[in-house]
Amino acid sequence: MAEIRLNHVQKRWGSFVGVEDFHLTIPDREFLVLLGPSGCGKTTTMRMIAGLEEPSSGEIWIGDRMVNALDPKDRDVAMVFQSYGLYPNMNVYENIRFPLKVRKVPEVEHEARVMRASAMVELDDFLHRKPAALSGGQRQRVALARAIVREPNVFLMDEPLSNLDAKLRVSTRAQIKNLSHELQVTTIYVTHDQIEAMTLADRVVVMSAGVVQQVGTPMEIYDRPANTFVASFIGSPAMNLMEGAVTDGTFHGDRVAIAGLSGAAGRVTLGFRAEDAQVVDSDGQIAAPVYSMELLGDATMVTVKAGGTLVAVKAPKEFRAEIGAPVQIRIPTGICHLFDAQTGVHL
């Protein structure tokens, strides 16, 4: 059992707040992703769980133990770092085996555990090689195997894919997803990449400036962002956001008018996703010139400039238009999000 509880955890350095009042329970076997831009507090939160940083206040529980006073080695967690952290003088087999030697696991168990971990990440053909003879993706798999071999209660992964190229990130992401299913171990994963968060997580914690903005499943966060920060951070492309005002149920903004909106009045921010709107020949609520066209393979991303705002819409892959040509965009009322213009909170 490795439920993790963070009870009002804070981290401060003088007047600077790294993490503010983080309060969350992570159930046993959940894959939780901490997501946010650089400096938002996600890695600091993970380091406090690992014991590499001491919280300024609050309690951290792993299972039935409060671990605030425990050294990292006594918390039964395994970390996978962005930088791999492999020993260059050891081959892959010895790198994977090293945690077993440090923790004084009986030697008769070593080979079976190393081979099991190696097989899980498909490294059996590379066990004799040194790290210098491996690709970036293979080195990351060694780091994963070294964490697996410990059989910990908790996995902590700090941006493990950020040093890999785009193709390797996709394949290694799939491997981590499969490993999570096989191992059934509580995992906390830190990333700034919202695609990693959406594809890997059972739940996502979105953070900004040390403060938790929203906690939910990937679909909850995507479909109903709590505020404009989450809306602008989640999605590829991010949600379109337009400033304006609602009067008598109609939103008026720069080159846009959308009728049939209820539940809000006054200054608001309107949000909608690129895939929910359509490029049409007539009767659109936005009329604006094409700013750019990007062929995505399965669709064409059309970006228009409505006043000072760039608006992205997914059109069929066959769609073509010249830059500067006028187009119209239809936005169904039912897919619109309204946010408070001052606070950014979803209305």
Side-chain angles (χ1 to χ4, degrees):
M1 171 83 173
E3 177 184 271
I4 299 172
R5 300 196 311 280
L6 293 96
N7 294 337
H8 302 290
V9 171
Q10 298 197 53
K11 180 63 180 179
R12 295 173 180 266
W13 291 274
S15 61
F16 177 77
V17 179
V19 176
E20 179 72 45
D21 194 29
F22 196 111
H23 188 71
L24 185 69
T25 296
I26 305 161
D28 183 37
R29 304 182 183 182
E30 182 172 71
F31 195 116
L32 184 86
V33 172
L34 303 179
L35 174 69
S38 296
C40 72
K42 56 190 186 297
T43 295
T44 301
T45 301
M46 173 179 281
R47 288 175 63 85
M48 287 191 288
I49 295 168
L52 302 175
E53 294 278 0
E54 186 177 339
S56 304
S57 62
E59 298 175 348
I60 300 172
W61 292 74
I62 299 177
D64 57 1
R65 295 189 303 169
M66 191 174 81
V67 299
N68 290 47
L70 292 183
D71 290 336
K73 65 182 176 60
D74 299 322
R75 298 191 182 198
D76 199 14
V77 301
M79 284 197 76
V80 179
F81 295 97
Q82 175 182 344
S83 59
Y84 316 138
L86 305 181
Y87 298 102
N89 59 317
M90 297 181 185
N91 64 21
V92 169
Y93 182 95
E94 289 300 328
N95 263 286
I96 297 172
R97 186 167 82 113
F98 188 74
L100 302 179
K101 293 168 70 175
V102 169
R103 297 174 75 83
K104 296 182 170 52
V105 173
E107 282 204 27
V108 293
E109 297 180 25
H110 287 198
E111 183 167 1
R113 286 174 65 167
V114 169
M115 296 308 294
R116 174 176 173 269
S118 168
M120 280 188 166
V121 295
E122 301 175 14
L123 280 173
D124 290 355
D125 294 336
F126 305 97
L127 292 174
H128 62 286
R129 293 194 190 179
K130 299 280 182 69
L134 302 175
S135 69
Q138 289 162 347
R139 290 179 201 176
Q140 190 56 275
R141 280 150 54 193
V142 177
L144 284 169
R146 192 175 56 188
I148 291 165
V149 81
R150 284 189 52 189
E151 300 176 1
N153 273 330
V154 179
F155 281 122
L156 303 176
M157 300 188 183
D158 188 8
E159 307 219 27
L161 307 185
S162 59
N163 286 343
L164 304 182
D165 63 39
K167 185 177 179 181
L168 270 176
R169 276 203 300 274
V170 172
S171 59
T172 310
R173 194 169 69 218
Q175 196 155 41
I176 289 173
K177 182 80 170 179
N178 185 264
L179 277 173
S180 170
H181 176 75
E182 281 191 43
L183 294 169
Q184 296 289 298
V185 174
T186 308
T187 302
I188 300 174
Y189 186 106
V190 163
T191 184
H192 63 271
D193 185 325
Q194 53 92 18
I195 294 175
E196 285 179 29
M198 294 291 288
T199 53
L200 289 172
D202 295 322
R203 280 193 306 164
V204 179
V205 177
V206 184
M207 299 182 70
S208 175
V211 178
V212 173
Q213 302 294 312
Q214 188 171 1
V215 181
T217 67
M219 286 313 300
E220 286 169 351
I221 287 175
Y222 189 83
D223 288 341
R224 191 170 175 81
N227 53 42
T228 50
F229 174 82
V230 177
S232 64
F233 200 79
I234 297 288
S236 183
M239 182 178 284
N240 295 301
L241 296 172
M242 305 186 76
E243 303 297 325
V246 174
T247 306
D248 297 328
T250 299
F251 173 85
H252 294 279
D254 208 342
R255 298 204 187 196
V256 57
I258 302 174
L261 299 172
S262 59
R267 300 294 301 175
V268 298
T269 300
L270 174 85
F272 63 93
R273 297 235 175 246
E275 66 269 24
D276 291 332
Q278 301 168 296
V279 177
V280 294
D281 295 327
S282 60
D283 299 326
Q285 294 105 323
I286 294 178
V290 173
Y291 184 80
S292 71
M293 298 263 297
E294 300 167 272
L295 180 61
L296 305 179
D298 63 335
T300 298
M301 188 68 71
V302 182
T303 302
V304 302
K305 194 162 190 178
T309 305
L310 294 179
V311 176
V313 182
K314 277 190 177 177
K317 62 183 178 182
E318 302 84 10
F319 180 83
R320 295 291 181 273
E322 296 294 324
I323 298 227
V327 296
Q328 294 196 39
I329 295 169
R330 182 176 299 151
I331 307 161
T333 304
I335 57 88
C336 290
H337 300 260
L338 295 176
F339 303 90
D340 186 281
Q342 295 296 319
T343 65
V345 172
H346 199 291
L347 298 173

